Amino acid sequence: MNRINTLREKMAGLELDGMIIENPINICYLTGIQAEGTLIITEKDNLFITDGRYIEELNNSLTIDDEILVLSIHTLEKEEYFKIFENCKKVGFEEEYITYAEYTNIIRKYRIKEAIETDGLIEKMREIKDQNEIACIEKACNITDSCFLHIIDYIRPGMSEKDIAIEMQKFIIENGADGLAFDTIVASGENSSKPHAMPTNRIIQKGDAIILDFGAKYKGYCSDMTRTIFIGETTDEEKELYEFVLNVQTRAFNKYKNNADCMEIATSVQKELYSHNFNLIHALGHGVGLEIHEKPVLSTKSNYTLKQDMVVTNEPGIYIPRKTRN
Amino acid sequence: MNRINTLREKMAGLELDGMIIENPINICYLTGIQAEGTLIITEKDNLFITDGRYIEELNNSLTIDDEILVLSIHTLEKEEYFKIFENCKKVGFEEEYITYAEYTNIIRKYRIKEAIETDGLIEKMREIKDQNEIACIEKACNITDSCFLHIIDYIRPGMSEKDIAIEMQKFIIENGADGLAFDTIVASGENSSKPHAMPTNRIIQKGDAIILDFGAKYKGYCSDMTRTIFIGETTDEEKELYEFVLNVQTRAFNKYKNNADCMEIATSVQKELYSHNFNLIHALGHGVGLEIHEKPVLSTKSNYTLKQDMVVTNEPGIYIPRKTRN
């Protein structure tokens, strides 16, 4: 209930009399409930409206201390929806989550008098992780670390990108993860300059650069690892470029401090890349937690400040089209 | 381009001068493009606005016959966005996909004069599958069929639900799938009455009922299989209930015909379940395609008609809480 109380304080600051929460990740974060449904906070009550699939489980798992009243969509009458926010003037909603169609629907369904955008209120709470959350992310990171050590030993010329991706996925699920944080990327040779390519049947050859981008999920929390490896010998030019990016990353890492400005860090990385005629074609980093991409964003346009106990990535990259070796 | 031409005809019917498409599944369906970005259809042009990660790949893969102009967000000036719909009065958007925040953003960014809800225009096109799509779904179904045959041979008392889920996931990715259509559900014993439970560490025991709900993805297309199995001997009551649900499903299947009314079919199933004091706690079925849940919905409240070349599930189920055997 601690997180709901924090939310209530923030709602008071925005003069909200109620809030309607549809994002299942936010609902799970606030209540621990893993079910489809709508969480409603009013001045008096916390309601969770769900359907028949979840009622039994929730009635078994929630206790009176959770202070959440579970209601079934099958028994709620039209008029009862009107009553929920009857005494609320301003009702907050998740404008970055609900669709335009859902927005028009909730206004009608609950007869909301004034629907207020909340500017990622709960997502902002999620930026700062508690010790339990950090432990889960560390565990997910340990699984990806082990997976990386395993896969660099496993990869041989003659395998396809898909073979490698399958082996990585097997390793991750067999080593304690709930599942993958996102679809595994294995991009080799000419594919390696396409930073979001799906694994193909392309056969790994000696001299290939391979980009691995993968993550595990542990108790709902994600990890995110990107590595570039080379098969066999590398050219001096490749070594030099690799060292250059690694140094850029290390210098950026040293700027990841409490109260650091995200835009400044990203801009300094972009300058370094520019000075070598490269470009920062995606954000430098992003928060990681219950979702693989969370706030804050570290980009040249992002308006965020790093804080103690945020968990963020640091992933500068350069992509050189059509550079193949023969 | 055929699908874009079909869309243009439908837009003309709605008197739309332009359309803005953000749903990546819809973009892929219309153009084959697998990249994050915005597809814009105006009276003259098809534009795809994307970022640095995808430009190279798109320039390599799209041909002049695709008639799609790729633009980069990095080079488009603010004023150029205003020009895109300059001559368009009514611009359609995907109100069931874009968030409320994205809605307010596109109105501002493109200076849209009149934004029009399109009521699932492209999703409706996707309801009817062509022969290539059906072949992909069949292939995905073949993989789940094989997985089921494999897993009923594999399951033994003493394994956990998680062990079984991992084996199923391995089988699916090793047997030609791109990946999973959705997270595999393995729910045994007392968990089997919670139809959306995640696999737990619960150990399978003799006499357990186990619900398996799983799917594969092949070339982007999903399959969706649910099966209930019993470990060891079953009671007469279990056999009777199993036969009853199977008969309900078979009778429903015989009603899956061109021009059949979805609500009527679901209502007839609900009546049969009611007559045995059970309830239809979720929809009877749903379309399957590039997404695991597509239109049409077969429920007691759904307003759809089945048509030739739709692909839909048929999944009546009964869930009996707290029925455990000793």
Side-chain angles (χ1 to χ4, degrees), chain A residues 56 60 95-96 98-101 103 117 166 170 173-174 193 322, chain B residues 56 60 95-96 98-101 103 117 166 170 173-174 193 322:
Chain A
E56 186 209 347
N60 289 341
E95 78 278 7
E96 291 169 13
I98 66 167
T99 65
Y100 181 81
Y103 165 81
E117 297 171 51
I166 286 173
K170 272 171 58 179
I173 54 181
E174 284 175 344
S193 65
R322 285 181 211 84
Chain B
E56 186 210 347
N60 289 341
E95 79 279 6
E96 290 169 13
I98 67 167
T99 65
Y100 181 81
Y103 165 80
E117 297 170 51
I166 287 174
K170 272 170 60 179
I173 54 182
E174 284 176 343
S193 66
R322 285 182 210 85

PDB file of all heavy atoms in Angstrom, chain A residues 56 60 95-96 98-101 103 117 166 170 173-174 193 322, chain B residues 56 60 95-96 98-101 103 117 166 170 173-174 193 322:
ATOM      1  N   GLU A  56     -11.306 -15.136  -8.982  1.00  0.00           N
ATOM      2  CA  GLU A  56     -10.977 -16.158  -7.984  1.00  0.00           C
ATOM      3  C   GLU A  56      -9.572 -15.938  -7.426  1.00  0.00           C
ATOM      4  O   GLU A  56      -9.365 -15.905  -6.211  1.00  0.00           O
ATOM      5  CB  GLU A  56     -11.066 -17.566  -8.590  1.00  0.00           C
ATOM      6  CG  GLU A  56     -10.871 -18.648  -7.529  1.00  0.00           C
ATOM      7  CD  GLU A  56     -10.260 -19.943  -8.077  1.00  0.00           C
ATOM      8  OE1 GLU A  56     -10.208 -20.121  -9.298  1.00  0.00           O
ATOM      9  OE2 GLU A  56      -9.797 -20.750  -7.256  1.00  0.00           O
ATOM     10  N   ASN A  60      -8.358 -14.860  -3.592  1.00  0.00           N
ATOM     11  CA  ASN A  60      -7.479 -15.710  -2.790  1.00  0.00           C
ATOM     12  C   ASN A  60      -6.211 -15.000  -2.343  1.00  0.00           C
ATOM     13  O   ASN A  60      -5.667 -15.292  -1.285  1.00  0.00           O
ATOM     14  CB  ASN A  60      -7.078 -16.954  -3.588  1.00  0.00           C
ATOM     15  CG  ASN A  60      -8.241 -17.899  -3.741  1.00  0.00           C
ATOM     16  OD1 ASN A  60      -9.200 -17.825  -2.995  1.00  0.00           O
ATOM     17  ND2 ASN A  60      -8.166 -18.792  -4.720  1.00  0.00           N
ATOM     18  N   GLU A  95      -2.503   9.538 -20.094  1.00  0.00           N
ATOM     19  CA  GLU A  95      -2.636   9.928 -21.501  1.00  0.00           C
ATOM     20  C   GLU A  95      -1.551   9.313 -22.381  1.00  0.00           C
ATOM     21  O   GLU A  95      -1.694   9.248 -23.588  1.00  0.00           O
ATOM     22  CB  GLU A  95      -2.640  11.460 -21.633  1.00  0.00           C
ATOM     23  CG  GLU A  95      -1.282  12.133 -21.544  1.00  0.00           C
ATOM     24  CD  GLU A  95      -0.810  12.335 -20.108  1.00  0.00           C
ATOM     25  OE1 GLU A  95      -1.480  11.833 -19.170  1.00  0.00           O
ATOM     26  OE2 GLU A  95       0.232  12.995 -19.930  1.00  0.00           O
ATOM     27  N   GLU A  96      -0.460   8.838 -21.755  1.00  0.00           N
ATOM     28  CA  GLU A  96       0.593   8.201 -22.555  1.00  0.00           C
ATOM     29  C   GLU A  96       0.343   6.702 -22.711  1.00  0.00           C
ATOM     30  O   GLU A  96       1.110   6.010 -23.364  1.00  0.00           O
ATOM     31  CB  GLU A  96       1.977   8.430 -21.921  1.00  0.00           C
ATOM     32  CG  GLU A  96       2.409   9.878 -22.022  1.00  0.00           C
ATOM     33  CD  GLU A  96       3.638  10.193 -21.179  1.00  0.00           C
ATOM     34  OE1 GLU A  96       4.308   9.259 -20.715  1.00  0.00           O
ATOM     35  OE2 GLU A  96       3.922  11.391 -20.994  1.00  0.00           O
ATOM     36  N   ILE A  98      -3.387   5.163 -22.467  1.00  0.00           N
ATOM     37  CA  ILE A  98      -4.684   4.768 -23.043  1.00  0.00           C
ATOM     38  C   ILE A  98      -4.847   5.344 -24.442  1.00  0.00           C
ATOM     39  O   ILE A  98      -4.348   6.419 -24.766  1.00  0.00           O
ATOM     40  CB  ILE A  98      -5.897   5.139 -22.148  1.00  0.00           C
ATOM     41  CG1 ILE A  98      -6.061   6.651 -22.020  1.00  0.00           C
ATOM     42  CG2 ILE A  98      -5.820   4.470 -20.796  1.00  0.00           C
ATOM     43  CD1 ILE A  98      -7.415   7.008 -21.413  1.00  0.00           C
ATOM     44  N   THR A  99      -5.538   4.575 -25.275  1.00  0.00           N
ATOM     45  CA  THR A  99      -5.747   5.023 -26.642  1.00  0.00           C
ATOM     46  C   THR A  99      -6.780   6.147 -26.663  1.00  0.00           C
ATOM     47  O   THR A  99      -7.523   6.349 -25.696  1.00  0.00           O
ATOM     48  CB  THR A  99      -6.259   3.883 -27.546  1.00  0.00           C
ATOM     49  OG1 THR A  99      -7.559   3.498 -27.084  1.00  0.00           O
ATOM     50  CG2 THR A  99      -5.314   2.692 -27.521  1.00  0.00           C
ATOM     51  N   TYR A 100      -6.831   6.832 -27.804  1.00  0.00           N
ATOM     52  CA  TYR A 100      -7.832   7.876 -27.961  1.00  0.00           C
ATOM     53  C   TYR A 100      -9.234   7.282 -27.808  1.00  0.00           C
ATOM     54  O   TYR A 100     -10.116   7.886 -27.167  1.00  0.00           O
ATOM     55  CB  TYR A 100      -7.684   8.553 -29.325  1.00  0.00           C
ATOM     56  CG  TYR A 100      -8.681   9.658 -29.532  1.00  0.00           C
ATOM     57  CD1 TYR A 100      -8.457  10.921 -28.997  1.00  0.00           C
ATOM     58  CD2 TYR A 100      -9.862   9.438 -30.226  1.00  0.00           C
ATOM     59  CE1 TYR A 100      -9.390  11.933 -29.157  1.00  0.00           C
ATOM     60  CE2 TYR A 100     -10.802  10.440 -30.399  1.00  0.00           C
ATOM     61  CZ  TYR A 100     -10.553  11.689 -29.855  1.00  0.00           C
ATOM     62  OH  TYR A 100     -11.475  12.684 -30.016  1.00  0.00           O
ATOM     63  N   ALA A 101      -9.432   6.059 -28.345  1.00  0.00           N
ATOM     64  CA  ALA A 101     -10.747   5.405 -28.247  1.00  0.00           C
ATOM     65  C   ALA A 101     -11.081   5.093 -26.787  1.00  0.00           C
ATOM     66  O   ALA A 101     -12.223   5.279 -26.355  1.00  0.00           O
ATOM     67  CB  ALA A 101     -10.764   4.126 -29.088  1.00  0.00           C
ATOM     68  N   TYR A 103      -9.946   6.700 -24.208  1.00  0.00           N
ATOM     69  CA  TYR A 103     -10.183   8.000 -23.571  1.00  0.00           C
ATOM     70  C   TYR A 103     -11.644   8.427 -23.738  1.00  0.00           C
ATOM     71  O   TYR A 103     -12.332   8.737 -22.759  1.00  0.00           O
ATOM     72  CB  TYR A 103      -9.232   9.042 -24.175  1.00  0.00           C
ATOM     73  CG  TYR A 103      -9.601  10.465 -23.877  1.00  0.00           C
ATOM     74  CD1 TYR A 103      -9.260  11.052 -22.652  1.00  0.00           C
ATOM     75  CD2 TYR A 103     -10.287  11.236 -24.810  1.00  0.00           C
ATOM     76  CE1 TYR A 103      -9.609  12.368 -22.377  1.00  0.00           C
ATOM     77  CE2 TYR A 103     -10.631  12.544 -24.550  1.00  0.00           C
ATOM     78  CZ  TYR A 103     -10.295  13.106 -23.323  1.00  0.00           C
ATOM     79  OH  TYR A 103     -10.638  14.393 -23.057  1.00  0.00           O
ATOM     80  N   GLU A 117      -4.740  15.163 -17.816  1.00  0.00           N
ATOM     81  CA  GLU A 117      -3.509  14.456 -18.188  1.00  0.00           C
ATOM     82  C   GLU A 117      -2.544  14.490 -16.996  1.00  0.00           C
ATOM     83  O   GLU A 117      -2.422  15.510 -16.327  1.00  0.00           O
ATOM     84  CB  GLU A 117      -2.878  15.127 -19.418  1.00  0.00           C
ATOM     85  CG  GLU A 117      -3.794  15.033 -20.636  1.00  0.00           C
ATOM     86  CD  GLU A 117      -3.324  15.866 -21.829  1.00  0.00           C
ATOM     87  OE1 GLU A 117      -2.151  15.735 -22.204  1.00  0.00           O
ATOM     88  OE2 GLU A 117      -4.143  16.645 -22.354  1.00  0.00           O
ATOM     89  N   ILE A 166      18.581 -18.610 -31.019  1.00  0.00           N
ATOM     90  CA  ILE A 166      17.870 -19.702 -30.339  1.00  0.00           C
ATOM     91  C   ILE A 166      18.662 -20.183 -29.130  1.00  0.00           C
ATOM     92  O   ILE A 166      18.115 -20.365 -28.036  1.00  0.00           O
ATOM     93  CB  ILE A 166      17.588 -20.867 -31.321  1.00  0.00           C
ATOM     94  CG1 ILE A 166      16.469 -20.478 -32.284  1.00  0.00           C
ATOM     95  CG2 ILE A 166      17.229 -22.154 -30.563  1.00  0.00           C
ATOM     96  CD1 ILE A 166      16.221 -21.492 -33.389  1.00  0.00           C
ATOM     97  N   LYS A 170      17.373 -20.068 -25.288  1.00  0.00           N
ATOM     98  CA  LYS A 170      17.354 -21.273 -24.455  1.00  0.00           C
ATOM     99  C   LYS A 170      18.134 -21.045 -23.170  1.00  0.00           C
ATOM    100  O   LYS A 170      17.676 -21.371 -22.071  1.00  0.00           O
ATOM    101  CB  LYS A 170      18.000 -22.447 -25.217  1.00  0.00           C
ATOM    102  CG  LYS A 170      17.041 -23.215 -26.070  1.00  0.00           C
ATOM    103  CD  LYS A 170      17.754 -24.217 -26.977  1.00  0.00           C
ATOM    104  CE  LYS A 170      18.606 -25.236 -26.219  1.00  0.00           C
ATOM    105  NZ  LYS A 170      19.246 -26.206 -27.179  1.00  0.00           N
ATOM    106  N   ILE A 173      16.197 -18.745 -20.698  1.00  0.00           N
ATOM    107  CA  ILE A 173      15.049 -19.336 -19.981  1.00  0.00           C
ATOM    108  C   ILE A 173      15.472 -20.512 -19.105  1.00  0.00           C
ATOM    109  O   ILE A 173      14.829 -20.798 -18.100  1.00  0.00           O
ATOM    110  CB  ILE A 173      13.856 -19.712 -20.904  1.00  0.00           C
ATOM    111  CG1 ILE A 173      14.274 -20.613 -22.051  1.00  0.00           C
ATOM    112  CG2 ILE A 173      13.160 -18.488 -21.426  1.00  0.00           C
ATOM    113  CD1 ILE A 173      13.131 -20.998 -23.003  1.00  0.00           C
ATOM    114  N   GLU A 174      16.586 -21.167 -19.440  1.00  0.00           N
ATOM    115  CA  GLU A 174      17.037 -22.294 -18.606  1.00  0.00           C
ATOM    116  C   GLU A 174      17.855 -21.844 -17.394  1.00  0.00           C
ATOM    117  O   GLU A 174      18.212 -22.659 -16.557  1.00  0.00           O
ATOM    118  CB  GLU A 174      17.874 -23.269 -19.443  1.00  0.00           C
ATOM    119  CG  GLU A 174      17.012 -24.129 -20.347  1.00  0.00           C
ATOM    120  CD  GLU A 174      17.821 -25.029 -21.269  1.00  0.00           C
ATOM    121  OE1 GLU A 174      19.037 -24.780 -21.423  1.00  0.00           O
ATOM    122  OE2 GLU A 174      17.236 -25.957 -21.829  1.00  0.00           O
ATOM    123  N   SER A 193      25.155  -3.394 -39.557  1.00  0.00           N
ATOM    124  CA  SER A 193      24.946  -1.939 -39.590  1.00  0.00           C
ATOM    125  C   SER A 193      23.460  -1.598 -39.519  1.00  0.00           C
ATOM    126  O   SER A 193      23.083  -0.433 -39.621  1.00  0.00           O
ATOM    127  CB  SER A 193      25.569  -1.338 -40.845  1.00  0.00           C
ATOM    128  OG  SER A 193      24.917  -1.812 -41.994  1.00  0.00           O
ATOM    129  N   ARG A 322      27.445  -0.852 -45.337  1.00  0.00           N
ATOM    130  CA  ARG A 322      28.101  -1.467 -46.493  1.00  0.00           C
ATOM    131  C   ARG A 322      29.596  -1.681 -46.317  1.00  0.00           C
ATOM    132  O   ARG A 322      30.328  -1.761 -47.281  1.00  0.00           O
ATOM    133  CB  ARG A 322      27.888  -0.613 -47.753  1.00  0.00           C
ATOM    134  CG  ARG A 322      26.484  -0.756 -48.293  1.00  0.00           C
ATOM    135  CD  ARG A 322      26.258   0.046 -49.538  1.00  0.00           C
ATOM    136  NE  ARG A 322      24.868   0.466 -49.586  1.00  0.00           N
ATOM    137  CZ  ARG A 322      24.408   1.536 -48.973  1.00  0.00           C
ATOM    138  NH1 ARG A 322      25.221   2.330 -48.315  1.00  0.00           N
ATOM    139  NH2 ARG A 322      23.131   1.837 -49.029  1.00  0.00           N
TER     140      ARG A 322
ATOM    141  N   GLU B  56      18.899   3.037 -43.743  1.00  0.00           N
ATOM    142  CA  GLU B  56      19.737   2.269 -44.664  1.00  0.00           C
ATOM    143  C   GLU B  56      19.003   1.035 -45.161  1.00  0.00           C
ATOM    144  O   GLU B  56      18.939   0.762 -46.361  1.00  0.00           O
ATOM    145  CB  GLU B  56      21.048   1.850 -43.974  1.00  0.00           C
ATOM    146  CG  GLU B  56      22.013   1.175 -44.948  1.00  0.00           C
ATOM    147  CD  GLU B  56      22.919   0.136 -44.272  1.00  0.00           C
ATOM    148  OE1 GLU B  56      22.981   0.100 -43.031  1.00  0.00           O
ATOM    149  OE2 GLU B  56      23.529  -0.655 -45.005  1.00  0.00           O
ATOM    150  N   ASN B  60      17.693   0.112 -49.011  1.00  0.00           N
ATOM    151  CA  ASN B  60      18.159  -1.086 -49.714  1.00  0.00           C
ATOM    152  C   ASN B  60      17.022  -2.002 -50.136  1.00  0.00           C
ATOM    153  O   ASN B  60      17.118  -2.678 -51.152  1.00  0.00           O
ATOM    154  CB  ASN B  60      19.106  -1.900 -48.810  1.00  0.00           C
ATOM    155  CG  ASN B  60      20.436  -1.200 -48.638  1.00  0.00           C
ATOM    156  OD1 ASN B  60      20.789  -0.330 -49.430  1.00  0.00           O
ATOM    157  ND2 ASN B  60      21.158  -1.575 -47.599  1.00  0.00           N
ATOM    158  N   GLU B  95      -7.703   5.491 -33.927  1.00  0.00           N
ATOM    159  CA  GLU B  95      -8.069   5.853 -32.553  1.00  0.00           C
ATOM    160  C   GLU B  95      -7.965   4.675 -31.594  1.00  0.00           C
ATOM    161  O   GLU B  95      -7.884   4.869 -30.380  1.00  0.00           O
ATOM    162  CB  GLU B  95      -9.470   6.473 -32.516  1.00  0.00           C
ATOM    163  CG  GLU B  95     -10.627   5.491 -32.586  1.00  0.00           C
ATOM    164  CD  GLU B  95     -10.938   5.034 -34.009  1.00  0.00           C
ATOM    165  OE1 GLU B  95     -10.184   5.394 -34.934  1.00  0.00           O
ATOM    166  OE2 GLU B  95     -11.934   4.308 -34.181  1.00  0.00           O
ATOM    167  N   GLU B  96      -7.945   3.443 -32.148  1.00  0.00           N
ATOM    168  CA  GLU B  96      -7.812   2.279 -31.263  1.00  0.00           C
ATOM    169  C   GLU B  96      -6.346   1.922 -31.020  1.00  0.00           C
ATOM    170  O   GLU B  96      -6.049   0.991 -30.287  1.00  0.00           O
ATOM    171  CB  GLU B  96      -8.549   1.067 -31.859  1.00  0.00           C
ATOM    172  CG  GLU B  96     -10.055   1.242 -31.819  1.00  0.00           C
ATOM    173  CD  GLU B  96     -10.800   0.191 -32.627  1.00  0.00           C
ATOM    174  OE1 GLU B  96     -10.185  -0.806 -33.024  1.00  0.00           O
ATOM    175  OE2 GLU B  96     -12.003   0.401 -32.864  1.00  0.00           O
ATOM    176  N   ILE B  98      -3.424   4.726 -31.303  1.00  0.00           N
ATOM    177  CA  ILE B  98      -2.596   5.797 -30.757  1.00  0.00           C
ATOM    178  C   ILE B  98      -3.112   6.264 -29.400  1.00  0.00           C
ATOM    179  O   ILE B  98      -4.313   6.248 -29.135  1.00  0.00           O
ATOM    180  CB  ILE B  98      -2.415   6.998 -31.729  1.00  0.00           C
ATOM    181  CG1 ILE B  98      -3.720   7.745 -31.964  1.00  0.00           C
ATOM    182  CG2 ILE B  98      -1.767   6.570 -33.020  1.00  0.00           C
ATOM    183  CD1 ILE B  98      -3.482   9.078 -32.656  1.00  0.00           C
ATOM    184  N   THR B  99      -2.170   6.632 -28.557  1.00  0.00           N
ATOM    185  CA  THR B  99      -2.562   7.092 -27.228  1.00  0.00           C
ATOM    186  C   THR B  99      -3.177   8.486 -27.334  1.00  0.00           C
ATOM    187  O   THR B  99      -3.026   9.179 -28.343  1.00  0.00           O
ATOM    188  CB  THR B  99      -1.350   7.174 -26.282  1.00  0.00           C
ATOM    189  OG1 THR B  99      -0.461   8.179 -26.783  1.00  0.00           O
ATOM    190  CG2 THR B  99      -0.620   5.838 -26.182  1.00  0.00           C
ATOM    191  N   TYR B 100      -3.824   8.879 -26.236  1.00  0.00           N
ATOM    192  CA  TYR B 100      -4.383  10.228 -26.196  1.00  0.00           C
ATOM    193  C   TYR B 100      -3.269  11.265 -26.369  1.00  0.00           C
ATOM    194  O   TYR B 100      -3.441  12.270 -27.068  1.00  0.00           O
ATOM    195  CB  TYR B 100      -5.117  10.445 -24.878  1.00  0.00           C
ATOM    196  CG  TYR B 100      -5.742  11.804 -24.790  1.00  0.00           C
ATOM    197  CD1 TYR B 100      -6.957  12.063 -25.402  1.00  0.00           C
ATOM    198  CD2 TYR B 100      -5.104  12.838 -24.112  1.00  0.00           C
ATOM    199  CE1 TYR B 100      -7.523  13.324 -25.349  1.00  0.00           C
ATOM    200  CE2 TYR B 100      -5.671  14.102 -24.052  1.00  0.00           C
ATOM    201  CZ  TYR B 100      -6.879  14.343 -24.675  1.00  0.00           C
ATOM    202  OH  TYR B 100      -7.430  15.581 -24.623  1.00  0.00           O
ATOM    203  N   ALA B 101      -2.106  10.998 -25.774  1.00  0.00           N
ATOM    204  CA  ALA B 101      -0.980  11.932 -25.889  1.00  0.00           C
ATOM    205  C   ALA B 101      -0.483  12.022 -27.334  1.00  0.00           C
ATOM    206  O   ALA B 101      -0.184  13.113 -27.828  1.00  0.00           O
ATOM    207  CB  ALA B 101       0.161  11.502 -24.964  1.00  0.00           C
ATOM    208  N   TYR B 103      -2.290  11.447 -29.941  1.00  0.00           N
ATOM    209  CA  TYR B 103      -3.355  12.131 -30.671  1.00  0.00           C
ATOM    210  C   TYR B 103      -3.172  13.648 -30.602  1.00  0.00           C
ATOM    211  O   TYR B 103      -3.147  14.330 -31.621  1.00  0.00           O
ATOM    212  CB  TYR B 103      -4.713  11.717 -30.109  1.00  0.00           C
ATOM    213  CG  TYR B 103      -5.867  12.587 -30.524  1.00  0.00           C
ATOM    214  CD1 TYR B 103      -6.465  12.445 -31.762  1.00  0.00           C
ATOM    215  CD2 TYR B 103      -6.355  13.571 -29.659  1.00  0.00           C
ATOM    216  CE1 TYR B 103      -7.520  13.249 -32.147  1.00  0.00           C
ATOM    217  CE2 TYR B 103      -7.413  14.380 -30.043  1.00  0.00           C
ATOM    218  CZ  TYR B 103      -7.988  14.217 -31.278  1.00  0.00           C
ATOM    219  OH  TYR B 103      -9.021  15.027 -31.657  1.00  0.00           O
ATOM    220  N   GLU B 117     -11.841   9.606 -36.651  1.00  0.00           N
ATOM    221  CA  GLU B 117     -11.705   8.218 -36.188  1.00  0.00           C
ATOM    222  C   GLU B 117     -12.070   7.274 -37.330  1.00  0.00           C
ATOM    223  O   GLU B 117     -13.018   7.534 -38.065  1.00  0.00           O
ATOM    224  CB  GLU B 117     -12.630   7.989 -34.979  1.00  0.00           C
ATOM    225  CG  GLU B 117     -12.231   8.871 -33.783  1.00  0.00           C
ATOM    226  CD  GLU B 117     -13.262   8.859 -32.655  1.00  0.00           C
ATOM    227  OE1 GLU B 117     -13.633   7.751 -32.242  1.00  0.00           O
ATOM    228  OE2 GLU B 117     -13.676   9.947 -32.217  1.00  0.00           O
ATOM    229  N   ILE B 166       9.241 -24.290 -20.323  1.00  0.00           N
ATOM    230  CA  ILE B 166      10.552 -24.106 -20.966  1.00  0.00           C
ATOM    231  C   ILE B 166      10.717 -25.114 -22.106  1.00  0.00           C
ATOM    232  O   ILE B 166      11.151 -24.759 -23.204  1.00  0.00           O
ATOM    233  CB  ILE B 166      11.688 -24.255 -19.929  1.00  0.00           C
ATOM    234  CG1 ILE B 166      11.721 -23.014 -19.023  1.00  0.00           C
ATOM    235  CG2 ILE B 166      13.041 -24.465 -20.611  1.00  0.00           C
ATOM    236  CD1 ILE B 166      12.719 -23.116 -17.875  1.00  0.00           C
ATOM    237  N   LYS B 170      11.308 -24.121 -26.021  1.00  0.00           N
ATOM    238  CA  LYS B 170      12.455 -24.644 -26.765  1.00  0.00           C
ATOM    239  C   LYS B 170      11.989 -25.359 -28.027  1.00  0.00           C
ATOM    240  O   LYS B 170      12.510 -25.124 -29.115  1.00  0.00           O
ATOM    241  CB  LYS B 170      13.234 -25.655 -25.898  1.00  0.00           C
ATOM    242  CG  LYS B 170      14.288 -25.035 -25.025  1.00  0.00           C
ATOM    243  CD  LYS B 170      14.863 -26.019 -24.024  1.00  0.00           C
ATOM    244  CE  LYS B 170      15.513 -27.238 -24.666  1.00  0.00           C
ATOM    245  NZ  LYS B 170      16.083 -28.152 -23.627  1.00  0.00           N
ATOM    246  N   ILE B 173      10.768 -22.813 -30.716  1.00  0.00           N
ATOM    247  CA  ILE B 173      11.800 -22.034 -31.436  1.00  0.00           C
ATOM    248  C   ILE B 173      12.745 -22.943 -32.217  1.00  0.00           C
ATOM    249  O   ILE B 173      13.303 -22.527 -33.220  1.00  0.00           O
ATOM    250  CB  ILE B 173      12.572 -21.039 -30.528  1.00  0.00           C
ATOM    251  CG1 ILE B 173      13.193 -21.714 -29.314  1.00  0.00           C
ATOM    252  CG2 ILE B 173      11.681 -19.894 -30.104  1.00  0.00           C
ATOM    253  CD1 ILE B 173      13.911 -20.771 -28.367  1.00  0.00           C
ATOM    254  N   GLU B 174      12.868 -24.192 -31.804  1.00  0.00           N
ATOM    255  CA  GLU B 174      13.750 -25.115 -32.541  1.00  0.00           C
ATOM    256  C   GLU B 174      13.068 -25.760 -33.740  1.00  0.00           C
ATOM    257  O   GLU B 174      13.710 -26.454 -34.517  1.00  0.00           O
ATOM    258  CB  GLU B 174      14.264 -26.222 -31.606  1.00  0.00           C
ATOM    259  CG  GLU B 174      15.353 -25.721 -30.673  1.00  0.00           C
ATOM    260  CD  GLU B 174      15.823 -26.758 -29.673  1.00  0.00           C
ATOM    261  OE1 GLU B 174      15.108 -27.758 -29.464  1.00  0.00           O
ATOM    262  OE2 GLU B 174      16.893 -26.551 -29.093  1.00  0.00           O
ATOM    263  N   SER B 193      -7.693 -23.737 -12.537  1.00  0.00           N
ATOM    264  CA  SER B 193      -8.936 -22.962 -12.595  1.00  0.00           C
ATOM    265  C   SER B 193      -8.672 -21.469 -12.740  1.00  0.00           C
ATOM    266  O   SER B 193      -9.595 -20.664 -12.733  1.00  0.00           O
ATOM    267  CB  SER B 193      -9.794 -23.219 -11.352  1.00  0.00           C
ATOM    268  OG  SER B 193      -9.151 -22.711 -10.202  1.00  0.00           O
ATOM    269  N   ARG B 322     -11.182 -24.479  -6.848  1.00  0.00           N
ATOM    270  CA  ARG B 322     -10.958 -25.263  -5.627  1.00  0.00           C
ATOM    271  C   ARG B 322     -11.331 -26.729  -5.741  1.00  0.00           C
ATOM    272  O   ARG B 322     -11.591 -27.380  -4.759  1.00  0.00           O
ATOM    273  CB  ARG B 322     -11.725 -24.640  -4.451  1.00  0.00           C
ATOM    274  CG  ARG B 322     -11.052 -23.375  -3.953  1.00  0.00           C
ATOM    275  CD  ARG B 322     -11.733 -22.777  -2.779  1.00  0.00           C
ATOM    276  NE  ARG B 322     -11.542 -21.338  -2.794  1.00  0.00           N
ATOM    277  CZ  ARG B 322     -12.304 -20.503  -3.458  1.00  0.00           C
ATOM    278  NH1 ARG B 322     -13.339 -20.931  -4.142  1.00  0.00           N
ATOM    279  NH2 ARG B 322     -12.030 -19.211  -3.429  1.00  0.00           N
TER     280      ARG B 322
END
